[in-house]
Amino acid sequence: MLRHLLRTVNLFDTAKCALFLCIFGSCHGSSGGASRAPGLIYYETYDPRSLDPALSTDVPTGEMVTLLFDGLTAFDPDGRLLPGLSDRWTADRTAQHYVFHLRSGVSFHDGRPLVAADVKRSLLRVLNPETHGGRVWPLLPIAGAQDFADGRARDVRGIQVLGDTAIAFTLSEPLAVFPKFLAMPVAAIAPSPVAAEFGQHPVGTGPWRFVAWEHDDYLRFARNPDYWGGAPLSDSLTVRIIPEPLTRIAEFLAGRVSVSEIPFGETAKWEQEHPDWLKRKPALRAVYVPLNNRRGPLRDPRVRQAINHAVDVPEILRTVWNGRGVLAAGAIPPTLGGSDPGRRPYAYDTSEARRLLRAAGYPNGFAVQLWRSGTNVEMGRVAQAIQAQLGAVGIRVEIVSRDASSMREAVRKGDTDMAITDWWADYPDADNFLYPLFHSASFGPGGNYSFYSDRLTDSLIVLARRTADQSARETLYRRIDARIFEAAPWIYLWFPVDLWAQHPGIDGWDVPVIFNGQRWTKVRVK
Amino acid sequence: MIQLVGRRLLSTIPTLFGVLVVAFLLLNVVPGDPVAEMVGERADSATIVRLRSELHLDEPLLSQFGHYLWGVVRGDLGRSYITQRPVLGDLFERFPKTLQLAGGAMLLAVTCGITLGVLAAIRPGGWIDRFSMLIAYVGISFPVYWVGLLLILLFAVALQWLPPSGYGGLAFLVLPALTLGTRSIAFLARMTRGAMLEILPADFVRTARAKGVAEPRVFGRHALRNALLPIITVLGLDVGNYLTGSILTETIFSWPGVGRYVLLAIEKRDLPAVQGSILFLSVIFVLVNLLTDILYAKADPRVAYD
């Protein structure tokens, strides 16, 4: 018996030894991989929808379109607005009438020169119902765009071509952030007329020309030597499709991918072993739990505040999320104008939470459901932590796990009490964290998953959109954010900090705060 | 034989129709909205309503199904909602790659599995037997996902003998084929061993030995050939496993095959792509079953179809 036991223990040791050797080998392997120069290789987690700007409704498509095409404006990796195909633009004082002047001497990859009529036709193509693109909202502020998109008009009266070199937009109401809308991939400029199967064989003005696309495998791009913004430093760029995060890390260690996001479970290991390879940047993204402001006890702001007090967010951030985030004291990320660095997050205070619950008439708590997406493991862990902590103040949380699509549908219909989710910026502006998330016109599919509705907030958000003066606008945003924060329509969690590894064989790469902020022009193989 | 094939092919039509009905109904019962997946994280309600009507999603189920069925009859599986590409073209592009993977896995399964099984049967209880059954035991118990990641860690990261993932030459095929084939190797080894042990005490084996046939020939020609029927059955059924198992394997190894296509289509509620893939895979499965039946007759002349 004893001998048998000893043998088992030995076996255990052998297994441990083997595992250790594996890990040791992997570290050794990584430094071996580091010496290789891999060429520029990026990755997406799934195949893009298409390479047609009009179809760019998801991140992979948007990122690929950004490599091939230009918009009138663009973002840099830090989310600053830059001139794109338009090198200067003017707005009238009301921010309702814009004129964009085109950069001279720009041609498409097939040699056709860019003219203002291309801009108009590109935008009309996006709005055209026959395109079936699905993302028209960035262009709907243009006067007459809604009628055109609904098939009620044959032209968009708010877009005027001024000769070959300028284009004027008249908006249906003032909108100060409109130039940022035009930097989104969907507003990128395609040549006209576009060829058949344009999404498979795109032609743009961007820094990279299309070479090949093997679906679910890789996309290949070659440098556009005539790029107006300076040709890319490398000859080619490959984008592989790698769905599994751990495989991606293996590819990175083998020197077959140039940059990689670090999966959560691996944070400590990488910080210890390869601190010099790591790059981090606060992302324009919010992790939060929308509390359905129209359901049951959650209708009462005191209950929502109590929930915020009952959750120990710093602890969850530190343990579950590896500390990769900045605590949220509002919905506007701290890197954006309009956020208030002086505002404090809800303090973790269970007695205050109990007091608020008593005041709201729920001294014994109540039962709610918290929805989570089954495929997102980290979010699931956060949900469990929230469940445990709310249980301590008497709120009985049942976690409902569904696949992402089912959960999204339920949340958008308002059929959930609470759901753990995140919000990625489309454009780097506080407006993108207020209008879609809290305006009552954005209920459900528009982004307002908490169904928060407040007439004053609505009018202030619209007022801010109409305010051309940047500092006045930011003052308004601070006020709006503070007002909403007080009403606690969410459990305010954190703004993630992205953690990436850059292969030592390349330089010039930077983590983009927004998905279309990295165009790989300044990256080169050492 | 030709008559048999013709009859069997005809009888698959109701099966495939049933598959279509079930797939269609299931997809319409599960929550999740294809249009919501098309438009992304933020959309205006007017666009959603318009897209629903353009895709005929607001029509009654029966008429939607009619549209689809009419397309299928004409050999048109429709276009993906998400990518707007024809589903059939997408499948034809990916299927050869899945076939390559399944072929590799099957080759490994047949060579390793049967060899292990036969070796184990030579001396039941001997160390080869114990070793092969340990491998079989481990192979059946380990989840595909875990095996795949371990293989990557060992052969691609630590030893750097093979690329971690991707599609390309033979080097890219080894790890995914091994991952996909592991369960099959294990299962086949056990099946072969069992079948061989049943056959070996039979009279004709004794006769063969008595008339002086060499031992390898006794095993290879007399015993194994008679043990083949259950092995063929398992192999035929395994093809189904290869097609579904390829979803996991293709995801881990970034292999651009049908499995990943189906997975993404389900995640995105891309109805034409999911229905098309299910129909396509069903056809393959039915054909493989037919092939299995024909192989029965080839392997064992006693099996006759009239």
Side-chain angles (χ1 to χ4, degrees):
Chain A
M1 180 66 200
L2 187 69
R3 212 161 52 180
H4 177 78
L5 205 70
L6 275 177
R7 210 185 294 153
T8 319
V9 171
N10 257 343
L11 215 80
F12 248 93
D13 278 348
T14 320
K16 255 197 300 199
C17 235
L19 201 66
F20 173 75
L21 276 179
C22 260
I23 292 166
F24 178 77
S26 75
C27 304
H28 182 72
S30 62
S31 44
S35 60
R36 258 184 266 161
L40 292 190
I41 307 173
Y42 183 53
Y43 66 86
E44 294 291 349
T45 50
Y46 59 93
D47 215 33
R49 270 187 88 180
S50 163
L51 297 175
D52 183 345
L55 264 62
S56 54
T57 52
D58 58 13
V59 171
T61 311
E63 289 190 346
M64 296 305 100
V65 164
T66 306
L67 299 175
L68 292 162
F69 296 88
D70 293 301
L72 291 176
T73 55
F75 301 129
D76 74 357
D78 289 316
R80 282 183 292 257
L81 185 69
L82 301 177
L85 289 179
S86 163
D87 53 0
R88 65 200 162 88
W89 61 87
T90 54
D92 68 345
R93 261 191 307 176
T94 59
Q96 193 168 7
H97 188 78
Y98 290 85
V99 178
F100 287 83
H101 299 273
L102 295 190
R103 205 175 278 279
S104 63
V106 176
S107 344
F108 289 99
H109 299 152
D110 60 1
R112 278 184 275 178
L114 167 82
V115 290
D118 291 322
V119 178
K120 175 161 185 174
R121 281 189 219 125
S122 293
L123 302 184
L124 254 50
R125 223 178 124 249
V126 173
L127 288 166
N128 192 333
E130 281 167 24
T131 308
H132 302 308
R135 174 162 289 200
V136 293
W137 63 259
L139 303 178
L140 288 183
I142 302 170
Q146 184 73 62
D147 286 342
F148 182 79
D150 291 343
R152 287 196 302 268
R154 300 188 51 193
D155 194 12
V156 178
R157 64 174 191 281
I159 309 179
Q160 270 180 310
V161 176
L162 309 174
D164 275 351
T165 59
I167 187 152
F169 296 98
T170 306
L171 309 185
S172 47
E173 52 184 62
L175 180 62
V177 291
F178 184 64
K180 291 187 180 173
F181 280 23
L182 293 179
M184 277 185 258
V186 79
I189 309 307
S192 51
V194 298
E197 298 292 317
F198 186 64
Q200 300 300 304
H201 303 282
V203 172
T205 56
W208 300 94
R209 312 156 77 104
F210 173 76
V211 177
W213 181 10
E214 289 291 326
H215 294 296
D216 280 339
D217 192 3
Y218 66 87
L219 298 102
R220 195 153 287 145
F221 305 97
R223 175 166 94 124
N224 173 8
D226 308 320
Y227 187 53
W228 55 264
L233 298 178
S234 285
D235 290 337
S236 72
L237 171 65
T238 304
V239 179
R240 295 185 48 199
I241 314 296
I242 308 176
E244 165 59 42
L246 292 173
T247 307
R248 202 165 68 217
I249 287 295
E251 291 281 1
F252 180 86
L253 290 174
R256 288 160 40 88
V257 172
S258 303
V259 295
S260 175
E261 194 169 10
I262 304 296
F264 275 96
E266 303 255 306
T267 312
K269 177 171 176 267
W270 283 72
E271 277 172 346
Q272 203 178 355
E273 288 172 9
H274 305 291
D276 47 328
W277 295 1
L278 297 183
K279 283 175 176 269
R280 65 189 75 222
K281 201 180 262 183
L284 293 181
R285 193 160 87 240
V287 178
Y288 67 102
V289 176
L291 306 171
N292 193 331
N293 288 214
R294 297 198 299 199
R295 275 170 82 93
L298 298 176
R299 274 192 290 249
D300 190 327
R302 286 170 298 190
V303 171
R304 303 194 300 256
Q305 288 162 350
I307 290 176
N308 270 285
H309 280 299
V311 178
D312 188 356
V313 183
E315 181 66 12
I316 303 179
L317 173 62
R318 195 174 59 78
T319 51
V320 183
W321 209 259
N322 294 160
R324 278 158 65 169
V326 178
L327 290 176
I332 304 173
T335 45
L336 286 181
S339 68
D340 186 350
R343 198 182 306 128
R344 310 285 310 152
Y346 280 96
Y348 174 56
D349 185 347
T350 48
S351 50
E352 174 67 4
R354 283 205 190 85
R355 189 190 68 74
L356 283 163
L357 284 176
R358 268 197 309 276
Y362 298 99
N364 300 318
F366 51 89
V368 277
Q369 285 187 336
L370 170 58
W371 284 54
R372 58 161 287 214
S373 153
T375 41
N376 195 327
V377 181
E378 275 73 35
M379 292 283 213
R381 291 191 188 130
V382 177
Q384 284 170 359
I386 291 174
Q387 179 187 39
Q389 291 175 347
L390 289 184
V393 296
I395 301 174
R396 297 172 296 284
V397 178
E398 179 200 349
I399 294 182
V400 181
S401 179
R402 293 278 187 278
D403 77 297
S405 186
S406 310
M407 166 168 144
R408 188 173 301 137
E409 190 182 36
V411 174
R412 283 181 171 180
K413 279 187 183 161
D415 291 344
T416 58
D417 299 320
M418 319 199 287
I420 180 149
T421 185
D422 57 358
W423 176 256
W424 299 56
D426 296 300
Y427 47 96
D429 195 283
D431 176 70
N432 195 211
F433 286 83
L434 295 180
Y435 184 83
L437 297 171
F438 300 110
H439 195 283
S440 57
S442 307
F443 276 172
N448 186 348
Y449 292 169
S450 61
F451 295 86
Y452 170 80
S453 167
D454 172 45
R455 212 172 283 163
L456 182 60
T457 304
D458 282 358
S459 63
L460 285 175
I461 290 175
V462 172
L463 177 65
R465 295 192 124 193
R466 291 177 173 183
T467 305
D469 178 60
Q470 183 63 21
S471 69
R473 219 154 61 81
E474 288 178 6
T475 310
L476 274 171
Y477 286 145
R478 268 191 288 278
R479 197 178 143 199
I480 300 165
D481 200 18
R483 181 178 172 81
I484 300 170
F485 187 68
E486 188 66 33
W490 294 356
I491 302 178
Y492 287 88
L493 296 176
W494 52 78
F495 303 107
V497 172
D498 285 336
L499 182 66
W500 286 70
Q502 175 189 295
H503 197 275
I506 67 161
D507 67 13
W509 187 81
D510 195 6
V511 185
V513 294
I514 188 148
F515 67 101
N516 58 343
Q518 178 55 267
R519 321 190 88 192
W520 290 82
T521 51
K522 300 195 172 87
V523 190
R524 63 185 180 92
V525 178
K526 279 198 274 201
Chain B
M1 184 59 84
I2 291 172
Q3 252 187 349
L4 162 79
V5 173
R7 225 175 31 231
R8 287 290 302 268
L9 281 181
L10 270 182
S11 72
T12 59
I13 290 176
T15 314
L16 293 179
F17 181 77
V19 166
L20 264 187
V21 174
V22 172
F24 184 83
L25 285 180
L26 270 183
L27 281 170
N28 277 286
V29 169
V30 291
D33 179 8
V35 175
E37 297 303 314
M38 260 176 90
V39 298
E41 279 304 322
R42 176 181 169 186
D44 54 305
S45 312
T47 307
I48 292 180
V49 171
R50 204 187 54 237
L51 280 171
R52 288 192 74 81
S53 94
E54 280 163 9
L55 297 173
H56 306 291
L57 286 171
D58 52 354
E59 289 177 15
L61 273 191
L62 204 62
S63 115
Q64 282 186 47
F65 187 63
H67 275 302
Y68 186 69
L69 202 61
W70 178 231
V72 171
V73 170
R74 286 174 303 152
D76 175 14
L77 295 184
R79 278 175 181 266
S80 152
Y81 289 162
I82 303 288
T83 65
Q84 302 190 354
R85 288 191 296 266
V87 172
L88 200 60
D90 276 352
L91 287 170
F92 278 144
E93 192 185 333
R94 287 164 176 85
F95 185 63
K97 295 166 183 166
T98 297
L99 204 62
Q100 219 175 323
L101 184 55
M106 196 174 236
L107 195 71
L108 277 177
V110 170
T111 48
C112 302
I114 295 183
T115 313
L116 278 178
V118 171
L119 287 179
I122 293 178
R123 189 159 302 144
W127 68 268
I128 299 185
D129 182 28
R130 284 197 198 166
F131 176 71
S132 352
M133 285 311 105
L134 179 75
I135 290 187
Y137 192 64
V138 167
I140 286 182
S141 323
F142 282 179
V144 174
Y145 203 76
W146 197 68
V147 170
L149 286 175
L150 270 194
L151 288 178
I152 293 180
L153 195 64
L154 182 61
F155 290 103
V157 179
L159 300 172
Q160 300 201 1
W161 289 351
L162 295 163
S165 79
Y167 176 76
L170 195 63
F172 288 89
L173 182 63
V174 178
L175 294 184
L178 193 58
T179 306
L180 186 57
T182 306
R183 288 178 91 90
S184 249
I185 293 176
F187 205 59
L188 265 186
R190 290 184 82 96
M191 279 298 300
T192 310
R193 178 178 179 271
M196 288 292 279
L197 287 181
E198 244 173 63
I199 297 284
L200 283 174
D203 290 346
F204 66 88
V205 175
R206 197 168 15 150
T207 313
R209 278 183 176 142
K211 71 181 182 188
V213 176
E215 201 65 355
R217 204 173 152 82
V218 171
F219 272 87
R221 193 162 172 80
H222 294 265
L224 183 59
R225 184 133 189 218
N226 279 286
L228 268 185
L229 273 195
I231 296 173
I232 291 176
T233 312
V234 169
L235 270 180
L237 288 174
D238 258 359
V239 170
N241 287 343
Y242 288 139
L243 296 180
T244 49
S246 69
I247 293 183
L248 276 180
T249 313
E250 286 176 5
T251 304
I252 303 168
F253 289 97
S254 321
W255 191 268
V258 178
R260 260 168 74 200
Y261 183 73
V262 179
L263 186 67
L264 191 63
I266 294 173
E267 275 174 15
K268 297 265 177 195
R269 299 292 189 271
D270 191 349
L271 304 183
V274 182
Q275 282 161 6
S277 314
I278 292 178
L279 185 65
F280 185 83
L281 293 178
S282 311
V283 170
I284 302 294
F285 196 70
V286 165
L287 288 182
V288 168
N289 267 326
L290 182 60
L291 191 70
T292 316
D293 285 352
I294 296 171
L295 278 182
Y296 278 159
K298 285 269 171 244
D300 188 346
R302 285 169 302 183
V303 177
Y305 300 101
D306 359 85

